[in-house]
Amino acid sequence: MIKYTQYLICTIIIAFLMSSCASLTGFEEGRTLGAENSEIGVSLNYVKAPNLFDDESSSSDDLDNIGFPNIELNYKYGVTNKLDVGGKISTNLNGSTYAKYQVVGDNSSKFALSPGLEIGTILGSAYSIGIPIYTSIYPTDNVTININPRFMYQFVSAGPTEGATYIGGNFGLMFGKKNKFGIDIGYYNVGVVGENQALLTFGFGGKFRFGDFDTGSSKSSRKRR
């Protein structure tokens, strides 16, 4: 009985790893937090993804689509007024660390853009590296529109030698000035060795910020006085 239970658990874990995908949730803004500020985020997401490592499928049209929910936790810290670093963990066993640097706008501009870099793993069995570009438009102080294109590459360390590429992006709408709540939708073309399928994500989440968010770039000015 014990051996059967262990075998069943291992089978479930292996199947889950092979069907899991990299973290492709959104809720990220073009603005950075500002020096010494921090943010905690939580989101409930639903992902519909193809199983690109299904050896029984002979073509992209035959690939299984797997739908599953996940909860993701995110922590981020402002190293400088322009640089943020952070980490994510989720219930689909994915963990990642990332950084972004704001090159357009400041903490009060109507448009902001920050290129980023993200490295993730699924329990050491799959690895991913992503290059997102976080852009945001702020029609009012309480509304944020996020448009985040992204390229990501993922490979399984103990499986097929071919990696999977993710090309697409996320669109999100959030409400609030300091703490924010909203939705995010993602669409990605996922491919490996000529096989391509669509990956879809949808989520609802919130972000809770800690620090002085009435200043940002002005914080440096006051420190210099």
Side-chain angles (χ1 to χ4, degrees), residues 74-88:
N74 177 19
Y75 174 78
K76 185 170 55 179
Y77 179 78
V79 180
T80 71
N81 283 334
K82 296 291 185 179
L83 175 64
D84 287 352
V85 297
K88 303 177 184 179

Side-chain angles (χ1 to χ4, degrees), residues 21-57:
C21 64
S23 176
L24 294 167
T25 53
F27 303 101
E28 192 63 51
E29 297 182 39
R31 290 177 182 172
T32 47
L33 294 174
E36 301 176 7
N37 294 330
S38 61
E39 177 183 280
I40 295 175
V42 59
S43 61
L44 174 62
N45 310 279
Y46 181 81
V47 181
K48 185 177 182 181
N51 182 5
L52 294 177
F53 305 112
D54 181 7
D55 294 332
E56 296 180 358
S57 296

